Amino acid sequence: MRSNIKEIPLVWLAASTCTGCTISLLNSAAPTIKNILIDPIVPGVHINLRYHRTIMGGSGTKAVKVLKQTSSEKKGRFVLVVSGAIPCGDTATCCLMAEDNGKPVTAEARFEELAQNAMVILAMGTCGSFGGIAAAAPNPAGAQPLKKILESKGIDKFLINIPGCPPHPDWFVGTLTRILMSGLPKRDDLDHFLRPKAFYGKLIHEHCPLHACFEKSKFAGKPGEEGCLYELGCKGPITYADCPTRRWNSGTNWVIGAGAPCQGCTQPEFPDLLAPCYEKLKDVDLPEIGTSKLR
Ligand code: FSX
């Protein structure tokens, strides 16, 4: 790395996760994942990805050594990303993250060790942010979101939630570049659920192309029929994300554009309180649409 380029170390822990969050990031279009890993993604700043079990070339004790070195030698200067919720307490051994001196280390212990030393923590995905699918009822692994674990252990660290199951790659890259360019966000840049307002500031419903159908009470009665998908279980009226304007797969399309109802995957209520997928929301008071009655 050229000496005039500043390097920001980043470690990524994957706990109870389907790895969808990582796959989504690998699909980043601009910058591409190659740009993110190799180039300065903002002028003069390069991300030094030191640990990510799916992407890194290293493995075994050498990889864990780098992880631990990052925590001790880069204290207060590295970004910690966690995808997935974390099994805690009696069930913590459901999710192990390598060994220290021949002894298995739980994801809970590894997270605690790294969280204390990190500059900032990014919860990538709804599982890490709110529990999500990993903590869905009956949650046999006792999985918990990062915020709850930090609070229970008394760790006061700047946490940013980037929910979505999976999150759009831009939501992660945009949040990270914002930190690299101008430091940690102000508290007011995040909403009540610690989501960056830049990406989660508006309801899906507000920019939905089927909004006019909703206003005219023109509802589709079955998939493929013309009309708003509200009766078919669309969670857009209570879901905050910019999917309608950003769209997915390099701006190609998005869920409602493909004729399917939004499942509310960026919300803390997902999935338990928003299921079943294709049933109309029960708790939304239509005249007050825009406020989640489930909170
Ligand atoms: Fe959860 Fe992410 Fe959904 Fe999967 O890391 S937010 S199940 S897309 O992979 O954790």
Side-chain angles (χ1 to χ4, degrees):
M1 184 55 47
R2 294 189 301 274
S3 57
N4 58 341
I5 302 286
K6 187 176 162 192
E7 283 203 326
I8 302 290
L10 185 149
V11 296
W12 181 308
L13 302 182
S16 288
T17 161
C18 77
T19 313
C21 300
T22 290
I23 301 301
S24 183
L25 176 62
L26 294 179
N27 284 328
S28 182
T32 64
I33 189 66
K34 174 177 163 284
N35 296 143
I36 295 168
L37 294 177
I38 295 176
D39 301 328
I41 58 169
V42 301
V45 188
H46 165 70
I47 283 292
N48 179 3
L49 180 65
R50 296 172 69 94
Y51 187 94
H52 187 310
R53 73 175 185 201
T54 317
I55 302 176
M56 65 189 177
S59 63
T61 48
K62 282 187 181 165
V64 176
K65 191 174 167 196
V66 171
L67 182 68
K68 293 185 75 67
Q69 274 176 346
T70 306
S71 184
S72 56
E73 294 171 13
K74 311 286 180 186
K75 193 172 177 178
R77 288 183 286 134
F78 69 94
V79 177
L80 173 62
V81 182
V82 182
S83 56
I86 299 184
C88 292
D90 293 346
T91 46
T93 48
C94 289
C95 188
L96 300 175
M97 281 186 188
E99 297 177 346
D100 281 349
N101 304 319
K103 289 199 180 131
V105 178
T106 64
E108 182 187 14
R110 194 68 84 189
F111 171 62
E112 184 176 359
E113 167 195 335
L114 285 151
Q116 278 164 338
N117 290 347
M119 166 178 65
V120 58
I121 304 170
L122 306 184
M124 177 68 170
T126 299
C127 298
S129 299
F130 307 128
I133 285 181
N139 192 4
Q144 292 192 11
L146 306 191
K147 183 167 186 284
K148 221 168 165 183
I149 300 172
L150 293 171
E151 283 169 357
S152 70
K153 296 185 184 298
I155 300 172
D156 183 16
K157 198 61 69 167
F158 203 99
L159 171 71
I160 304 174
N161 287 329
I162 307 174
C165 190
H168 195 295
D170 291 1
W171 301 341
F172 174 78
V173 176
T175 303
L176 187 60
T177 50
R178 160 72 167 75
I179 293 170
L180 300 187
M181 287 173 79
S182 42
L184 297 180
K186 295 189 177 60
R187 182 61 192 83
D188 195 46
D189 296 331
L190 307 178
D191 72 5
H192 176 66
F193 297 111
L194 305 183
R195 301 174 292 196
K197 288 178 187 168
F199 304 111
Y200 303 91
K202 294 261 191 295
L203 279 171
I204 295 273
H205 190 64
E206 286 176 64
H207 291 291
C208 180
L210 298 177
H211 192 107
C213 294
F214 176 86
E215 292 293 321
K216 291 181 206 154
S217 298
K218 185 178 178 184
F219 297 108
K222 58 182 182 193
E225 226 172 68
E226 209 181 322
C228 168
L229 304 176
Y230 179 67
E231 303 273 351
L232 298 180
C234 185
K235 314 300 186 295
I238 59 140
T239 301
Y240 286 82
D242 63 6
C243 301
T245 48
R246 186 170 303 281
R247 297 152 57 110
W248 286 69
N249 299 324
S250 312
T252 307
N253 205 350
W254 69 300
V255 61
I256 289 173
C262 161
Q263 291 305 312
C265 76
T266 59
Q267 290 299 110
E269 303 90 352
F270 176 84
D272 286 349
L273 297 177
L274 299 183
C277 295
Y278 299 107
E279 274 185 24
K280 185 178 166 183
L281 276 171
K282 292 183 181 68
D283 301 81
V284 172
D285 183 358
L286 282 178
E288 290 184 38
I289 248 169
T291 50
S292 168
K293 293 292 177 185
L294 301 172
R295 280 177 198 160

